[in-house]
Amino acid sequence: MRTHFGSSAMTPAHSSEKIDQLIHRLHAEQERVREAIRRDDIPAANRHLMKAWRAIKDAAATGPRGRDSIEKLLTSPLADIRLRAAEAAINWAPDLAVPVFGLLLFENLGEEVSADERLEIRTAAKLMLYKYFNMRSYDRNELIEPLRAYGVDLPYFDHEKWQRGEIPTLPNRNKGDSERHE
């Protein structure tokens, strides 16, 4: 087996290539998830989501270099890629993953992101936070204080206005977005 020299540990030459391939596979499968969601093909979305999770899990299993590559995805311009990276990184770097989940609850996800995609991203992020903070409540406002400790200022959500149909506009929301917030 060929090895790289220059560090204190000998590393297989193919490990960087393997990690790059796994990250590429994650991006490709996540793109297929987006396409399936947009055409309302839930079985296909689920199939590709499982493949995306497998790619990121395999990248994490390669060791520190794989985990570093996943951590770099926490700043991806694509919200669903940030979500997948945070779902993996919560296991070894919660201080990096938790703020990503918190921001996904209210940040502008981009006009190209469909309402169904926004719902999936925001719901998954919220559920990961409830699990991490060991919360049994589904009141998003109960995440305000825990997230503040991670530097995320989650806006208060007025449930009474939502129930009356007066849906509040959150900071950095998509223009004209009428999505109801979970």
Side-chain angles (χ1 to χ4, degrees):
M1 177 188 305
R2 293 182 340 172
T3 57
H4 289 295
F5 295 95
S7 68
S8 59
M10 293 177 35
T11 307
H14 69 279
S15 66
S16 290
E17 294 167 13
K18 179 181 180 181
I19 293 166
D20 290 346
Q21 289 171 349
L22 290 166
I23 298 301
H24 177 75
R25 187 177 343 141
L26 166 68
H27 279 278
E29 292 300 337
Q30 197 60 47
E31 176 61 30
R32 291 181 185 109
V33 170
R34 282 189 222 86
E35 291 168 355
I37 289 173
R38 290 173 187 167
R39 65 176 188 272
D40 203 26
D41 186 350
I42 303 309
N46 288 336
R47 242 185 349 268
H48 293 296
L49 182 58
M50 296 304 288
K51 291 177 183 179
W53 279 337
R54 169 55 59 197
I56 205 161
K57 183 178 178 182
D58 289 349
T62 64
R65 292 172 77 183
R67 290 189 295 274
D68 287 346
S69 293
I70 292 168
E71 288 175 19
K72 289 177 185 169
L73 297 175
L74 294 169
T75 59
S76 170
L78 301 171
D80 54 356
I81 295 294
R82 288 194 312 274
L83 174 67
R84 298 297 162 243
E87 288 171 337
I90 194 80
N91 295 306
W92 68 83
D95 56 317
L96 299 176
V98 168
V100 171
F101 292 132
L103 291 171
L104 287 172
L105 294 179
F106 67 92
E107 75 177 358
N108 183 335
L109 300 179
E111 293 188 23
E112 68 283 353
V113 178
S114 72
D116 290 333
E117 290 170 281
R118 284 192 303 273
L119 179 64
E120 190 269 333
I121 290 166
R122 295 192 198 289
T123 301
K126 185 170 56 172
L127 292 175
M128 289 298 294
L129 288 168
Y130 288 145
K131 181 179 177 183
Y132 179 75
F133 290 121
N134 197 26
M135 291 182 158
R136 297 193 73 125
S137 169
Y138 288 96
D139 181 354
R140 191 189 88 156
N141 293 328
E142 292 190 25
L143 292 168
I144 291 172
E145 288 305 314
L147 284 173
R148 190 168 286 141
Y150 287 85
V152 176
D153 190 20
L154 182 66
Y156 177 79
F157 182 76
D158 189 335
H159 295 284
E160 290 179 19
K161 282 186 177 181
W162 180 76
Q163 289 173 343
R164 290 192 307 262
E166 303 167 17
I167 302 169
T169 301
L170 297 176
N172 298 318
R173 298 287 305 160
N174 297 336
K175 189 175 185 180
D177 190 353
S178 62
E179 132 190 22
R180 289 183 179 230
H181 307 287
E182 336 41 78

